[in-house]
Amino acid sequence: MSPTIQRCYARGLRLAGFMLAMVLLPNVMLAQTTEPKATSPSHIFSLSPAELFYKTQLGYERRAGARNSFGVLGSYYYGNVGVNEGWQITGFYRRFLSQQFPTGFYVQAQASVLNCVQEIHLADTKTRQPYNFDYRATSGGAGFGFGYRTPLLRQLAQGRLLVNALLGVRFQHRPQPTYDANIYQPQTGFLGETDENDWYMGPNPSSLPHGLLSLDYTF
């Protein structure tokens, strides 16, 4: 390795270390100065019963300071309502705005991985004969949203049962299908829509708008 490359590499490491320290230091100081009492709940398990007719979704969330949390959602879509069948893993960060974790208004940032199968309806460009193509995709995505969580049956559940609602937008990348576009083309509907357009429509794991309605249990 030449001396010039070594110097550039060393400077890059120092710059990366400085940027990492600038990101972590405020969070460490915030956690030290605003950490809730030890008796405050630190973990949340969630279930989305209102969506069980088209998907199964479970989640886990952990407090990271007085107003911050990190979590993960695991979902499996049956494909009986939307066009996609498969699984999706979503990691998220939440910043609570009006109250401390785990209740109140919050803003959420998220990143996800999707693996699914979608049946695409095609037509032969010469004979116009229909052809169904099983489109299989693994893709990444990101998004954000705003939500609100509040206790449910406070006295009966001793404040441990919560209801959580979120609305947001996301973008899930759609890999290029592998069928031969010189032979086949997507069939169009009454309004000119295709199965490829349905990728971004709901209720699919790749839809642009997205929402969440869950029952949460704190412990």
Side-chain angles (χ1 to χ4, degrees):
M1 183 181 295
S2 68
T4 301
I5 296 178
Q6 289 179 349
R7 287 195 298 270
C8 293
Y9 181 70
R11 290 175 182 174
L13 287 179
R14 288 196 296 268
L15 179 60
F18 174 76
M19 294 177 65
L20 182 61
M22 293 297 292
V23 171
L24 294 179
L25 184 59
N27 289 308
V28 172
M29 296 176 63
L30 180 65
Q32 291 176 345
T33 57
T34 61
E35 186 72 19
K37 297 180 180 179
T39 56
S40 300
S42 298
H43 310 271
I44 288 180
F45 175 78
S46 65
L47 172 67
S48 303
E51 301 169 311
L52 284 174
F53 68 96
Y54 75 98
K55 71 175 180 180
T56 297
Q57 180 168 276
L58 301 175
Y60 171 76
E61 183 180 354
R62 191 182 194 285
R63 173 174 56 81
R67 294 179 177 268
N68 306 292
S69 68
F70 293 91
V72 62
L73 290 171
S75 310
Y76 183 80
Y77 290 75
Y78 316 140
N80 60 330
V81 176
V83 297
N84 295 339
E85 177 184 356
W87 57 262
Q88 184 176 47
I89 302 295
T90 301
F92 61 84
Y93 162 75
R94 288 172 178 166
R95 171 68 177 180
F96 288 81
L97 306 175
S98 59
Q99 301 178 42
Q100 293 187 0
F101 175 91
T103 58
F105 289 97
Y106 63 86
V107 60
Q108 172 175 304
Q110 66 184 54
S112 60
V113 176
L114 168 66
N115 181 276
C116 69
V117 178
Q118 177 187 4
E119 186 178 77
I120 299 179
H121 299 86
L122 306 174
D124 191 293
T125 55
K126 294 182 179 180
T127 66
R128 307 308 302 170
Q129 290 295 316
Y131 172 71
N132 293 334
F133 176 77
D134 285 336
Y135 169 64
R136 300 177 182 273
T138 299
S139 73
F144 68 93
F146 296 92
Y148 180 75
R149 184 158 54 199
T150 187
L152 180 67
L153 304 174
R154 185 190 299 267
Q155 298 298 325
L156 182 62
Q158 299 180 344
R160 293 188 175 275
L161 186 62
L162 312 172
V163 60
N164 181 35
L166 174 138
L167 288 175
V169 294
R170 63 186 171 190
F171 177 79
Q172 194 78 38
H173 173 65
R174 187 177 194 274
Q176 185 67 28
T178 56
Y179 64 82
D180 192 339
N182 295 318
I183 300 177
Y184 301 102
Q185 65 180 17
Q187 294 185 18
T188 58
F190 178 73
L191 300 177
E193 75 278 3
T194 67
D195 291 323
E196 296 185 19
N197 300 141
D198 289 340
W199 176 270
Y200 300 106
M201 312 292 276
N204 288 307
S206 54
S207 61
L208 288 175
H210 77 101
L212 172 69
L213 182 62
S214 67
L215 289 178
D216 301 350
Y217 181 77
T218 63
F219 58 97

